[in-house]
Amino acid sequence: MKHFLLFLLTLALRGAELHFALAAEPKTVDPFLVADEPAEAIRYLTEGSLVRVNRLTQQPEPELAESWQVLANGRKIVFHLRPGVTFPDGRPFTSADVADSFSKLLAPGLHSPIADPFRTAKGTVKVTAQGKYTVVAEFPEPVPQALRLFDQVSMVSAAAAQRPAPGLGPFLIAERKPGVSILLRRNPAYWKRGLPRLDSIRIEILQNRDLELLRFRRGELQLIDKLTPELFDRLRADSPASAMDAGPTLDSEFLWFNEAPRAPIRGMAREWFQSKNFRRAISLAIHRDDLCRVVYRGHASPAAGPVSPSDKIWFDQALKPDPFDPAGAKKMLAAGGFRLEGNTLRDRAGNAVEFSIITNAGSVTRQQMAAMIQQDLAQIGIRVNLVTLDFPSLLERMTRSLDYEACLLGLVNVDADPSGLMNILLSSASNHPWNPAEKSPQTDWEAEIDRLMLAQASTADAAARKKSFDRVQEILHDQEPIVYLLHPNALAAVSPQLEGVTPVPFFPHTFWDAEHLDVRAKQ
Amino acid sequence: MAALVLLAGWGSAMLLRDAPGALVDERELNPRAGEETIAALRHNRARERSVAANLASYLRGLAHGELGFSESNHTSVAALIADRAPRTLRDVGCGLTLGWIAGLAAAVLVARFPRAWPCDVAFLGASAIALSLPAAFLAYLAMLAQATPKLVLAVVIAPEIFQYSRNVLRDGYGAAHVEMARARGVSESAILARHVFPAAAPPLIALAAASVSMAIGAAIPIEAICDAPGLGRLAWQAATARDLPLLINMTMLVALATTSAMTISEFFVRRGNR
Amino acid sequence: MKVLRLVAVMFLTLAGITVATADVWEKHGYDQQFREFPDASPSRRFPLGTDALGRDRLARLVYGTRVSLLLAPAAALVSCALALAAGGIAGLAGGVAERAILAAADLFLSLPWFFLLLIARASLPLNVSPAISVTIMFLLLGVLGWAAPARVIRASVRELRHADFILFAHASGIAPWRILAAHLAPNLRPVLRARFWIAIPAYILAEATLGMLGLGISEPLPSLGGLLRDLESIDISSRLWLLAPAVLLAAVMLSLQVLRPADPTL
């Protein structure tokens, strides 16, 4: 009888199909190996987690865990699971599934980037089942904001023979045509009664952004999660109600110089890049307001550091983006031993200052920014050569050969918490941009950043963490190893047919509340 | 031909091995990834790039009908090709058919009716303009006009067909035996069917084979721009993603099509020259 | 036809002079950014408007055409020279050598050319000027383009191989390379000329295609391909002046087609 009523309820609530596109094929649909945005989109829609960070409020909310207690100064979290939740095959969801999911996630051979934040210098988290609906997670040392980490971990059935397996999210993968489309259908066993409202979601793989907008205008797609600034303005001119600007994202665009001693670059170039005066002068010479106004058409904010102003908790209000000040830049360079001869800047040895900036082909905004930076630096006598490379070639130079001088790139920041930047700001990290994998910090200020980042990562005291991370931001602002340029806004297109969409600056910008979305029938 | 196809596959594998970016994985840039994960990604990638080991296992798999696994699409290459090939074959087939019909019909018209010189000028002008623009740009215009890739391919192929067939058919109509047939009162349709076309057949068949090669070459930028899920876009993706198994197979497919077309073309050129 | 050829010559001459003297008459450089006027419509100051960074579109069109018009013939020369050597040796030697060279040509035609260009581009030194980097790219296109004309030249050499004057040259003991250079090459002039004129527009188009795929010339140096790529993400239906690069490309290509000598192999 219960099943019959459920069936009737499902029929009554039968919704339509949502169509949107992803820019690339997900590299995997294994929820434990998700490392790119398209894969994360599929995981977000099809998997359930103990805790879900509400993308609107940025606060963790109960999901498969209906409550929890944080104990022992953040070293222990006791989760109380929601009873009555079942997998699509009818198996009940219990603490055994949670323990098993973590066991698989943390398996040494898996090398999951989702698992890495659960590992600290002192060891790995232990997740044990205590009773049918209680799970205890014990960390060897306090992990700040540990609760938020559980948002990324999908709960997989212990009985699943392989991954992906039908999960606990609002939708299930019904069909997958690699490189073409993915069809998700409503999960009939979803634990939130009456949800999702949509019957299915068809996600197409479309690399061409113009084509995506064309199809949106034709009504074939109801959502575009990320629009370029030109396309956004074009849409806004025709259908202002469909174009939504959710404000600055957590992402940033920046430029950095290769300071690695082992990099096969000219010695004189390395000397320039290692000069704080040189880096600060570059920062002062770049017109950030123009970059925001011209390239991003006003849909971006100048950046003072790695943290976006939309991150209200961690953004250091005292820091301001460097103003456009070519005169100040020249003074800074003069203080660093550089001199301007006519239109050419020369170093102490009389060498003309000239270097190359690499960036990825396929990003029109980055190429435009690079061209503007080239002109800005020409005003202070620096000649810049721009080289656009396809992404693998760019990565090769950045991470292997280190055969580059300066690089213009962006960071898609998935985590508002500073611990998300550990693998970039720690001097020993492979992704430490200006000097990867240092055996020991090359400078005092890098040593101080290391100390502060490790300090904030080992305490749950919010005030202490804020103090440490504010100091990190001040050092970065002062030393400028990375010249932060701007934070782009979240620009989305939402069809008037779609109900329940509230775009947010954090990924996923438009379908973060997919279970409440619905498509009205066309009139 | 088989040796050439295998050589082409091996050649593309060697190119990929030495290509910048062959050993990198974008997932290394994930800010969450710890050092062990990054090291594991690099190790796996380096293992995949061992050409000798991979080529040997690839050939073994080929003997069993397996074409390898595409990392960038996370599925078997055989399944990918089976999924995408019909689309490309359809687009290329329709594009070639439409292109040939349009090109040949226009050529027959201007060759048969010398008085239709305004049409000749118009067709020459239109074909010259179509030949003057890159296939990628035509694809972009087609995308704006919501036209399909097959139409773009037809627009790319038809002008070459028209210009070449026009010359060949005009030569055919100018032959002495055609004049003789006309003088004997043979109907124009019979002249076309029994005298002009048979003489024009060898170079036209050679052109047909060459046009297949042309269409395959044009399909890559067209599918990349129109985002059509065919073999052309797959080939582009294989190169940009440094997907070794996929690139080897796509190169071999292209080599097979190209060498077949060249061989057929050569055969009919030689036959026509006898 | 004569009128058409005359018009084509006049157009190409005018275009050539215009682009060659651009430094004299063009008010703005191709890279000068007028950031207060991004995406401006045509005006007296900017006859073809400005692009997204406020750069004069007319200046970029003129300099972009200069790049293509200068370098495409250079690339065509390189590919014809290589094709003559390969096709000549294949046609003259015959037998195993001929088959080997033809197989190499087929192999070259089968390899993914865009991948070769992608690798070449990524391997170029970083601190070369855009002018040198674009020259290298075009020369690479030329080197990669030898295979198709080599086949045609091979076919022509095969026909000439048994001509009396070649047999006489052989009988006189003249070295094969000298036969190729001094006797065959002059007789291949019509074929080579036709191939050269076919190759020029092909290389202009190849660069334009690369530009549209995002692998073209680096900023700020403009090229016809890069200018065509600028049309993406722009609503051209209400801004038809944006089609100027396409119109100019079509006009240049048309003129080259009209002036192209007849291909004796067809």
Side-chain angles (χ1 to χ4, degrees), chain A residues 282-302:
Chain A
I282 299 287
S283 181
L284 288 172
I286 293 175
H287 204 317
R288 287 172 177 76
D289 286 334
D290 271 1
L291 294 179
C292 295
R293 181 177 58 82
V294 176
V295 177
Y296 281 83
R297 295 162 187 249
H299 303 298
S301 329

Side-chain angles (χ1 to χ4, degrees), chain A residues 210 297 376 385 388 397 405, chain C residues 35 39 121-122 127 233:
Chain A
D210 292 88
R297 295 162 187 249
D376 286 342
N385 298 309
T388 50
R397 286 181 186 263
E405 292 178 327
Chain C
R35 296 181 186 176
D39 282 321
R121 205 162 175 285
N127 270 318
S233 303

